[in-house]
Amino acid sequence: MTGLKEITVQGAKSLADAHAKHRWTIPADYNVAVDCLDRPFHKKEAVALYYEDDDGNTATYTFGQMPP
């Protein structure tokens, strides 16, 4: 399976250069679960959720902080 980690802009010298060269090419075997669940889940310190309420209060939760 392919995740977004494997889809990179080759040869970019800067963020502006990467932006100019970037094209969305979604492989036929792309599986969003690989990027959302499989890769970070075993890393307890990886961010699982960014939260912001209507008042602008924010919070970040790691996989280790999420209930099972």
Side-chain angles (χ1 to χ4, degrees):
M1 285 184 270
T2 302
L4 293 179
K5 182 178 179 182
E6 290 82 19
I7 305 171
T8 60
V9 176
Q10 302 295 317
K13 304 283 189 238
S14 67
L15 182 58
D17 188 25
H19 186 265
K21 292 179 178 185
H22 177 75
R23 299 291 177 269
W24 280 106
T25 306
I26 309 298
D29 66 343
Y30 176 72
N31 185 336
V32 68
V34 170
D35 286 318
C36 295
L37 300 174
D38 287 350
R39 288 203 174 125
F41 188 71
H42 68 283
K43 298 177 186 175
K44 299 296 183 191
E45 72 283 356
V47 175
L49 175 68
Y50 292 108
Y51 172 80
E52 182 174 351
D53 66 19
D54 292 337
D55 295 326
N57 299 307
T58 62
T60 302
Y61 300 95
T62 66
F63 281 100
Q65 295 171 307
M66 301 298 282

